Amino acid sequence: MLLVMINLLIIVHQPRFSFAILDPVDFLALQSIRKSLEDMPGSNYFSSWDFTSDPCNFAGVFCEGERVVALNLGDPRAGAPGLSGRLDPAIGKLTNLAEFTVVPGRIMGKLPATMSELKNLRFLGISRNFISGEIPATFGELHALRTIDLSYNQLTGNVPWAVGSLPALANVVLCHNRLSGSIPSFVSQTLTRLDLKHNNLSGSIPPGSLPSSLEYLSLSWNSFSGPVDLLLPQLNRLNFLDLSLNRFTGQIPSCIFSFPITNLQLERNLFSGPVQPYNEVAIPTVDLSHNMLYGQVSPLFSTVQNLYLNNNRFTGSVPTTLMDRLMAGSVQLLYLQHNFLTGVPINPTTAIPLSSSLCLQYNCMVPPVQTPCPIEAGTQKTRPTSQCMEWKG
């Protein structure tokens, strides 16, 4: 009798999933998923997928009770070969799935529309494969979704407006695809990362269309246009901002130079007007090059380590404090070439520190010191006098 009671206690205290039989729907779904995918040469990820045994013990399969709650397809070790094939629509049958990831590989085809049935899905990561087609608009039904990473694929079409309405989003990473059109407003007040760089996206981004919770915003290498002077002041939690290689216009709002940003990339746009920070700029790297900015260079940039102001329309003399910091080695890079500057407070016999880079050529002056410049600066040392006479700032 005592032995029977001990055995009963052991059974009661065993983890429930150890004795559960996987739901037949999930079992068949895993079989279909397996049939549509193959290990790439050098990968043996599917070696443990023996359907005569418990699928909850398969590599990448995690269960709670009789349901699959996480599916991580492929060997997650860095550099390991991935998988090839296609994603089977049966993935939509795993309705308790909270996490679905695929390692980099050669998976092709479209995202199954049936994935919209994964109402418990919180994490979706399918990056660095060859997924094509459009992001299903029905992804807007995945209300529990917190992270969506479909980067480095071949996706086309728009970012569905319904995706922008998802209430729990924290991370949206859709970079390095072929997405086009304008982007939706994002309503989630927990969204901290939005990465849409290297697409074909266009249109303006109205004030209020991005939440103030954002900490990382990368929109570079697109065709966005319009002003951002009302949008950016609302995003004062940003620690990374890259709007480079677009067609943004208007003035750069002064307040962004006070944001807790480590890298500010606004180069190669159509920004215009003077640049006037409120206080000393504590951002290590500031790139405002290749715009239409004008006025005098603010001495408040003297605290920036790497400052790119080249290919603009700045006039006047370079601030003394900026040159002093350069000579002291605090400013490591100062690019001022291709502007309309008329003076630099530096002794021609002074040696620039080896740790610092300075480029002054093609301004309205003869550079007082000769320093190596990037190849794209050209060979002409001084801007033609006629241009300097015509330019009024």
Side-chain angles (χ1 to χ4, degrees), residues 109-162:
K110 297 182 179 182
L111 293 167
T114 55
M115 291 176 66
S116 62
E117 299 169 18
L118 305 177
K119 308 302 185 187
N120 295 302
L121 195 65
R122 296 194 299 271
F123 189 102
L124 173 62
I126 311 174
S127 66
R128 297 180 185 275
N129 277 276
F130 292 82
I131 303 295
S132 58
E134 299 187 0
I135 300 173
T138 50
F139 274 21
E141 300 172 17
L142 303 177
H143 294 293
L145 198 62
R146 297 175 186 172
T147 293
I148 177 170
D149 183 354
L150 303 175
S151 59
Y152 293 90
N153 280 289
Q154 298 175 356
L155 294 167
T156 55
N158 297 335
V159 180
W161 289 89

Side-chain angles (χ1 to χ4, degrees), residues 252 257 267 275 277 286-302 304 306-315 318-319 322 333-341 359 363:
I252 296 173
F257 296 107
E267 72 270 17
V275 183
V286 174
D287 194 341
L288 309 181
S289 65
H290 294 272
N291 281 288
M292 298 186 293
L293 304 168
Y294 58 79
Q296 297 206 346
V297 176
S298 172
L300 296 174
F301 283 119
S302 300
V304 176
N306 302 289
L307 181 61
Y308 300 81
L309 298 180
N310 53 288
N311 296 80
N312 279 289
R313 300 174 180 176
F314 289 111
T315 55
V318 180
L322 188 53
L333 184 145
L334 178 58
Y335 278 1
L336 297 171
Q337 68 269 23
H338 286 258
N339 279 288
F340 293 80
L341 299 166
C359 186
N363 278 284

